Amino acid sequence: MRFSKVFKVSAVVAGTLFLSMTSCEDELETIGSGVIDGEPFSTGKIEYDVFAYNKGITAVQTNRLSLYQLGTFNDPVYGKRKASIISQITLPSTSPTFGGLSQEVEDNADSDESVSTIEENETVKEVYLYIPFQLPPSGDSDGDGVDDEFESGDDVDDPNSDWDNDGVTDNQERILGSNPFDPEDTGSQEGFVSNNFPNRFDLDSIYGDREQTFNLTVSRSNYLLRDLDPNSGFQETQEYYSNQDFSSFIGETLFSGEVTVSNEEYLFYDDEDDPDTEDVDESTVISSRLNPGIRVPLNNQFFQENILDKEGSSELLSQSNFTNFIRGIHLTGSDMEELMFLLNLSEANITITYEYQDYDPEEEELVTAESEFVLNFLQAGTNSILGNAVNVFENEAYPADIASALDNEENASRIYVKGGATQTEIRLFSALENGGGDIINQIKQNNWIINEANLVFYVDREALDASGNMLYEPQRLYLYNQETNRPLYDVNNEFQRPENTINPLDYYSNYDGVLEKNNNKGYRYTIRITEHINNIIVRDSVNAKLGLTSTANVAFTTVQEAPTSVGGILDYPVAATISPLGTVLYGNNVAAGEEDMQLKLEIFYTEAN
């Protein structure tokens, strides 16, 4: 075991530090000679070996995720991953009524003497599937076009607030393109010209060539995604994994065609003016906007027969009946060798626009009316996902050097981090039989105050650069207690702004773990585990094994089960599951000449002379 002091610098420390020392350590009641010498305390830094070995993951649980992958991610180190999606669709309400009359009332049209009781003959006009891309963090919580920093109190979460008190809500002004901060600009004043230009977004949820088109296939799924597991007596949620094969359950095709990627939002207008013409009528009003995403037409006849024509039937009586009847939707892409999306299914929907006959009492005649019926995919609850969808991954076999480095329980020379595919076990104070107890006891006897403790992971740039142009590296690492599944950071010791106002990379900045870069390439990650080390040294906590993965959001600490390559089961962070990104880090067992990049635990301390 290497136990080497790197440096030691003497310094006079303020009286407050002296008081904290004497309150913690009874044997430091007097420091006479130190005071005379002028150096009662000294500071130092010491480094310890860290044992780390790589574990392979056969599959990860991929139902009820916050984000879903679709397409192909071509990782030059780990190989390709192709991702498809199978998802339930949900009714907005049970036993829905299409048009103005229920089916029961329509069925009595011939015998009912009221002229307003008619057969409405609901007919599908068009059907569109819409799945938005995951947008970068926004400072506008309620999406009304006014950033949170300008709003206060309940207005932050109220899209119908009116900042300038002009009688037009902020959200209406956002849609109209008028100024929500100007009470004179209501969108109705003479000479007003609305904003007819789509907003653009800096999307970080698209990997690959954004200029290419791709072929998307949307099909009916004939597989019943159960919400509850019958093997548990329907007491526990059903688990589905990334390696499950649903290919034999794909039904009729609802859409198959070429789709273009765009970072622009969709615009919808009140009138029939063509916004693509050179001269757009200034009276044209934008009725609504949709964030960038995938939006394609679906087969009208399928939704006519299976939705509108089922009004009043048992298939629409409950969500359970509907799920058993319609089963779900399957999404897959082709010609996507260099293109993958992260999709937010909780904001995805299928919108059925239909026409029906309605009775106009003023004109005393039948008129054609129009309405919409919206089917959702998943719904995000406060602490849960409602509905069910599964991400299926088809991963290429690893190169031989990576495959041989997994599950050998050897102190690794390289740490392989790949979202949804690997986990690294970290053991502090090396792999001593007593769990590093000798070193821990020695630190206790030294009566050190631990000022800071870090794990430093250096990126193996040679491995990444030799594999090609690594455009996408994990932006953060997540280290957690593998025995309790709890993060190593203490929320109470972290300054934290509301999560919807900042980039997730800013969450828990004291903990860090964010990728540091040189020349726009990853260089190292530093994870501060000061509180964890103090718990071991001062509070006699267990020196537990730690788990290391990448993370899409360090504040999202939920875990789900994952089968390992050697037949076991481990709890795996969901935040690592939803990202396809990977990297290679130096381990502890490095070759000669690589010592500067070696994985190490560094401790900065103060001691009394």
Side-chain angles (χ1 to χ4, degrees):
M1 165 53 59
R2 180 167 60 87
F3 186 96
S4 59
K5 184 169 293 187
V6 178
F7 67 84
K8 181 175 181 180
V9 180
S10 298
V12 177
V13 183
T16 53
L17 179 57
F18 167 68
L19 290 176
S20 65
M21 284 285 292
T22 56
S23 63
C24 295
E25 309 297 342
D26 294 338
E27 61 268 31
L28 297 181
E29 293 179 349
T30 61
I31 56 169
S33 61
V35 173
I36 293 173
D37 293 339
E39 296 182 350
F41 299 102
S42 60
T43 60
K45 173 188 174 183
I46 195 165
E47 295 177 349
Y48 296 103
D49 286 339
V50 176
F51 184 91
Y53 85 92
N54 301 294
K55 296 181 179 181
I57 306 297
T58 302
V60 285
Q61 186 180 340
T62 55
N63 58 320
R64 293 189 173 91
L65 300 177
S66 57
L67 293 176
Y68 284 77
Q69 301 167 36
L70 179 67
T72 302
F73 185 77
N74 190 3
D75 192 312
V77 174
Y78 296 92
K80 291 183 180 181
R81 168 183 292 176
K82 183 178 181 180
S84 58
I85 301 170
I86 177 174
S87 178
Q88 293 175 345
I89 50 177
T90 60
L91 295 168
S93 61
T94 56
S95 298
T97 294
F98 303 120
L101 304 175
S102 69
Q103 189 61 47
E104 183 180 6
V105 173
E106 288 186 60
D107 290 341
N108 295 322
D110 292 339
S111 58
D112 194 313
E113 296 182 357
S114 173
V115 294
S116 63
T117 303
I118 60 173
E119 293 185 6
E120 296 180 312
N121 298 319
E122 299 93 347
T123 303
V124 172
K125 181 181 179 182
E126 62 181 18
V127 184
Y128 272 89
L129 165 70
Y130 167 66
I131 308 178
F133 301 134
Q134 173 69 3
L135 295 182
S138 170
D140 182 10
S141 298
D142 52 14
D144 62 358
V146 178
D147 283 352
D148 295 345
E149 65 180 299
F150 300 112
E151 298 189 298
S152 60
D154 295 337
D155 287 353
V156 171
D157 297 310
D158 182 12
N160 295 313
S161 58
D162 184 4
W163 193 94
D164 56 11
N165 296 313
D166 61 0
V168 184
T169 69
D170 295 333
N171 194 47
Q172 288 172 329
E173 298 217 44
R174 177 187 65 83
I175 294 172
L176 290 170
S178 56
N179 188 348
F181 301 105
D182 183 359
E184 302 299 323
D185 185 4
T186 64
S188 60
Q189 72 272 22
E190 184 178 353
F192 169 76
V193 178
S194 66
N195 172 17
N196 287 305
F197 300 98
N199 294 316
R200 294 185 178 185
F201 295 82
D202 182 17
L203 299 174
D204 58 2
S205 55
I206 302 177
Y207 305 123
D209 182 7
R210 303 185 184 198
E211 300 300 320
Q212 75 168 103
T213 59
F214 68 97
N215 287 318
L216 175 71
T217 300
V218 182
S219 308
R220 181 180 188 172
S221 168
N222 293 320
Y223 188 90
L224 177 61
L225 290 175
R226 295 188 297 265
D227 294 323
L228 299 175
D229 185 359
N231 294 324
S232 68
F234 298 98
Q235 299 300 307
E236 299 177 1
T237 57
Q238 180 68 56
E239 298 174 352
Y240 292 100
Y241 291 88
S242 57
N243 61 348
Q244 292 188 240
D245 183 6
F246 299 102
S247 59
S248 61
F249 295 93
I250 298 176
E252 58 260 57
T253 299
L254 306 181
F255 171 84
S256 182
E258 191 174 83
V259 179
T260 301
V261 181
S262 174
N263 66 346
E264 291 186 347
E265 64 184 354
Y266 297 95
L267 302 183
F268 302 91
Y269 296 83
D270 276 341
D271 58 24
E272 298 300 323
D273 287 345
D274 182 1
D276 293 325
T277 58
E278 292 184 4
D279 297 319
V280 178
D281 190 336
E282 291 186 355
S283 65
T284 300
V285 176
I286 297 172
S287 60
S288 62
R289 300 168 181 258
L290 282 178
N291 289 331
I294 296 172
R295 187 174 184 268
V296 295
L298 301 183
N299 183 278
N300 287 0
Q301 189 61 31
F302 175 85
F303 290 92
Q304 179 72 49
E305 295 175 357
N306 293 284
I307 303 296
L308 264 61
D309 291 350
K310 295 296 182 181
E311 182 181 13
S313 69
S314 60
E315 286 87 348
L316 306 185
L317 182 63
S318 68
Q319 181 59 47
S320 177
N321 287 7
F322 181 66
T323 299
N324 189 58
F325 164 62
I326 207 74
R327 299 298 170 93
I329 297 295
H330 182 268
L331 304 168
T332 189
S334 58
D335 295 333
M336 299 179 72
E337 294 306 302
E338 299 286 345
L339 190 59
M340 175 174 277
F341 309 118
L342 294 184
L343 301 175
N344 186 352
L345 291 191
S346 64
E347 295 182 8
N349 59 59
I350 295 173
T351 300
I352 305 170
T353 303
Y354 64 94
E355 296 178 334
Y356 65 98
Q357 296 300 299
D358 190 23
Y359 181 75
D360 185 342
E362 294 184 1
E363 300 294 332
E364 297 185 347
E365 63 180 9
L366 294 181
V367 296
T368 299
E370 186 173 293
S371 187
E372 291 183 347
F373 186 71
V374 180
L375 297 165
N376 298 309
F377 282 67
L378 304 182
Q379 294 177 312
T382 304
N383 295 306
S384 62
I385 299 292
L386 304 178
N388 219 338
V390 182
N391 227 166
V392 177
F393 301 152
E394 299 175 36
N395 295 317
E396 278 187 341
Y398 295 136
D401 58 335
I402 297 179
S404 62
L406 301 179
D407 301 304
N408 56 22
E409 299 201 26
E410 297 178 358
N411 194 12
S413 64
R414 295 295 185 272
I415 293 174
Y416 295 101
V417 178
K418 171 71 172 175
T422 66
Q423 185 234 39
T424 301
E425 184 173 296
I426 304 289
R427 303 175 192 170
L428 301 180
F429 307 114
S430 195
L432 298 180
E433 293 182 1
N434 63 353
D438 291 343
I439 295 178
I440 293 171
N441 289 331
Q442 186 174 352
I443 294 175
K444 291 179 179 180
Q445 292 169 9
N446 290 338
N447 295 317
W448 288 345
I449 291 180
I450 307 298
N451 302 317
E452 184 175 326
N454 303 316
L455 280 176
V456 183
F457 298 88
Y458 288 91
V459 176
D460 185 350
R461 284 258 48 104
E462 183 177 351
L464 298 189
D465 294 341
S467 300
N469 189 10
M470 290 291 294
L471 296 177
Y472 307 105
E473 298 180 63
Q475 295 301 298
R476 202 167 198 179
L477 298 182
Y478 177 54
L479 189 67
Y480 61 101
N481 187 319
Q482 193 173 287
E483 299 176 19
T484 65
N485 293 325
R486 299 300 305 160
L488 296 194
Y489 58 76
D490 185 347
V491 176
N492 296 321
N493 294 334
E494 293 276 353
F495 171 73
Q496 179 68 351
R497 290 173 289 173
E499 292 183 3
N500 52 23
T501 66
I502 56 175
N503 190 302
L505 293 179
D506 293 331
Y507 297 170
Y508 309 140
S509 56
N510 290 337
Y511 167 82
D512 201 0
V514 177
L515 179 63
E516 300 174 53
K517 295 182 179 181
N518 280 337
N519 298 320
N520 207 34
K521 291 185 176 182
Y523 167 54
R524 69 181 178 187
Y525 304 82
T526 299
I527 301 178
R528 296 188 183 93
I529 58 172
T530 311
E531 190 69 16
H532 178 69
I533 296 299
N534 275 321
N535 284 338
I536 295 173
I537 303 302
V538 179
R539 304 177 186 95
D540 292 324
S541 295
V542 175
N543 181 24
K545 297 175 182 178
L546 308 179
L548 178 74
T549 64
S550 62
T551 182
N553 186 340
V554 74
F556 186 33
T557 60
T558 303
V559 298
Q560 293 181 337
E561 290 187 348
T564 67
S565 302
V566 292
I569 296 288
L570 58 78
D571 291 324
Y572 195 77
V574 175
T577 295
I578 62 179
S579 171
L581 304 184
T583 189
V584 182
L585 310 172
Y586 285 92
N588 180 259
N589 188 24
V590 297
E594 298 176 335
E595 291 85 359
D596 289 345
M597 301 295 183
Q598 184 180 31
L599 170 62
K600 62 202 73 171
L601 168 64
E602 56 182 30
I603 293 180
F604 298 87
Y605 62 87
T606 299
E607 66 177 339
N609 290 326

